[in-house]
Amino acid sequence: MMGERRVDQAALFYTFSLEDHVPANHLLRSIDRFVELEGLRAHLAPFYSAMGRPSIDPELLIRMLLVGYCFGIRSERRLCEEVHLNLAYRWFCRLGLEGAVPDHSTFSKNRHGRFRESDLLRQLFDTVLRRCMSEGLVGGEGFAVDASLIKAEANRERSVPGDPGLPPEASSRAIDEYLAVLDDAAFGGATPVTPKFISPVDPAARWTAANKGPAFFAYATNYLIDLKHAVIVDVEASTAVRPAELTAARTMIERVQDKHDLHPDRLAADTAYGSAEMLEWLVNDRGIAPHIPIIDKSGRTDGTYSRADFSYDRAADLYRCPGGKELKQYRRAFRADHPDTPPDDTYRYRASKIDCDACALKPKCCPNGPARKVTRSIHEDARDVTRDIARTDAYVTSRRERKKVEMLFAHLKRILRLDRLRLRGPCGARDEFLLAATAQNLRKMARLIPIQTSPVPV
């Protein structure tokens, strides 16, 4: 039998609890255990006026931003609509059923003002990281570092040539940020090479074709992760060039030691971090074992002997060729002292022309020259240490574990939908990368640490 037609009648009283309507296994319920915002008001207090009408609760704004980045809601306008309609979002944001959702423009006002002035998003990231450490998710022994390109909010079709630079009348917040970081080692000071094109709306974004496809404007997000559970221990925004990525790696390693007293025994990375200067810094300055492939261009493809075929005698500071002859830096005494460090950071060891002329191996050693020459970097000792590490089983393990950082980048782009930036300028990129890394760490804790449920009485 067909039921009666239901007529909607408003009741005088309702008994409704948001707590009862958020499932026990909801992601936000798991994340809420690790969101610690007790010190937020004290941190922001100096950036609010003592008079005037009350502002929007900053804790509400931060909780809404966390919802947006945890669930890949890229638009703040849409985020306000979702929080208004979704009961779980309202519960997480402490809004209740009748709480008013702030206007989307409130986020922009606070972001460009007190949030950046107080470095609030960095403090939020550090607070979540400290919670990860207290929960035992950070081992602190092995780290991995890598960078990934994120497209900037800049149209490649509206680019201008890089040589003439920006028109003098150009003015915007992104341009002001670009001018402020012209000498920054992670942005303008990373390389003297002038980009082929620049974007008038975001000139700090770098024109790059590193993905082997059509060129685009991009920033680089740099992750330093702990290999125990792939927790992100630091994140840094930089321009999309390799020297900037190396600078960002150093910055992150130094910062986590200063802020969180984390000093890894080993660092895993790809070949981009295998430069001689980087290995020297890791081995001798920081005492970190580099589990990194070396950038080595000394091999030859014409069938003649490479530098690896020559043995180095550290005590005598000379090389010996396959024929047993010595290659030295100097073969006579000089009146004036020679500088200890060559101008190009490269030592040159030369064989005697008399030895080479009489050697039967000359056609395979130096067929086009009078005598053989071998170069050695001033950082070669650190490279030798790295070569020795590459022969160990621990190196093989580190190379496999390094893929965890690649998985985080895939999660960032596919699940959190941060394959393209929404904010412009270096500060906008920094804000988005910090919030996304914070969301990833919160989701990590929610997945690895289950909610303790009380036993059901029998």
Side-chain angles (χ1 to χ4, degrees), residues 18 54-64 79-86 89-104 106-107:
L18 281 178
S55 67
I56 301 294
D57 183 7
E59 181 177 344
L60 170 60
L61 299 179
I62 292 299
R63 285 183 173 272
M64 289 181 65
L79 174 63
C80 293
E81 296 174 356
E82 293 290 337
V83 172
H84 177 72
L85 296 173
N86 193 298
Y89 295 171
R90 280 184 168 270
W91 172 85
F92 181 79
C93 296
R94 309 293 192 264
L95 276 175
L97 280 178
E98 298 181 352
V101 178
D103 187 77
H104 65 88
T106 307
F107 293 97

Side-chain angles (χ1 to χ4, degrees), residues 203-277:
R206 191 77 180 187
W207 178 264
T208 177
N211 288 348
K212 309 301 182 183
F216 56 95
F217 293 105
Y219 287 93
T221 177
N222 299 267
Y223 276 8
L224 182 68
I225 72 166
D226 182 82
L227 291 175
K228 182 179 181 181
H229 288 292
V231 171
I232 304 169
V233 296
D234 207 348
V235 57
E236 182 76 3
S238 69
T239 190
V241 295
R242 181 176 296 178
E245 296 172 5
L246 299 180
T247 300
R250 296 188 184 191
T251 300
M252 292 188 293
I253 292 172
E254 292 172 345
R255 186 161 52 204
V256 295
Q257 183 171 6
D258 295 339
K259 282 191 173 183
H260 306 288
D261 196 25
L262 291 175
H263 183 75
D265 297 330
R266 67 186 191 278
L267 178 72
D270 58 22
T271 313
Y273 298 85
S275 65
E277 295 81 3

Side-chain angles (χ1 to χ4, degrees), residues 397-413:
T397 303
S398 295
R399 298 301 299 157
R400 182 175 64 251
E401 292 180 334
R402 193 195 65 81
K403 297 179 182 178
K404 293 179 180 180
V405 68
E406 300 287 354
M407 296 172 64
L408 282 171
F409 288 141
H411 180 269
L412 176 71
K413 296 178 181 180

Side-chain angles (χ1 to χ4, degrees), residues 154-338:
N155 191 341
R156 66 188 302 270
E157 302 298 334
R158 297 184 178 181
S159 59
V160 297
D163 291 337
L166 296 171
E169 66 274 7
S171 177
S172 70
R173 181 182 290 110
I175 291 177
D176 293 340
E177 293 179 11
Y178 162 71
L179 297 176
V181 298
L182 278 178
D183 298 328
D184 195 327
F187 288 97
T191 173
V193 179
T194 302
K196 186 176 181 180
F197 297 102
I198 61 175
S199 170
V201 297
D202 191 357
R206 191 77 180 187
W207 178 264
T208 177
N211 288 348
K212 309 301 182 183
F216 56 95
F217 293 105
Y219 287 93
T221 177
N222 299 267
Y223 276 8
L224 182 68
I225 72 166
D226 182 82
L227 291 175
K228 182 179 181 181
H229 288 292
V231 171
I232 304 169
V233 296
D234 207 348
V235 57
E236 182 76 3
S238 69
T239 190
V241 295
R242 181 176 296 178
E245 296 172 5
L246 299 180
T247 300
R250 296 188 184 191
T251 300
M252 292 188 293
I253 292 172
E254 292 172 345
R255 186 161 52 204
V256 295
Q257 183 171 6
D258 295 339
K259 282 191 173 183
H260 306 288
D261 196 25
L262 291 175
H263 183 75
D265 297 330
R266 67 186 191 278
L267 178 72
D270 58 22
T271 313
Y273 298 85
S275 65
E277 295 81 3
M278 185 68 180
L279 299 177
E280 172 76 18
W281 183 80
L282 288 171
V283 173
N284 295 326
D285 293 352
R286 310 302 297 186
I288 300 174
H291 291 216
I292 305 172
I294 298 177
I295 299 177
D296 191 352
K297 300 180 180 180
S298 64
R300 294 190 173 187
T301 58
D302 58 357
T304 59
Y305 291 130
S306 300
R307 186 176 61 192
D309 297 314
F310 293 73
S311 60
Y312 180 66
D313 187 340
R314 181 172 282 100
D317 188 25
L318 55 83
Y319 276 92
R320 287 188 174 85
C321 71
K325 302 300 181 180
E326 296 179 349
L327 287 77
K328 300 179 179 180
Q329 288 194 69
Y330 313 112
R331 294 186 174 274
R332 62 185 178 87
F334 294 90
R335 293 181 180 178
D337 294 335
H338 281 244

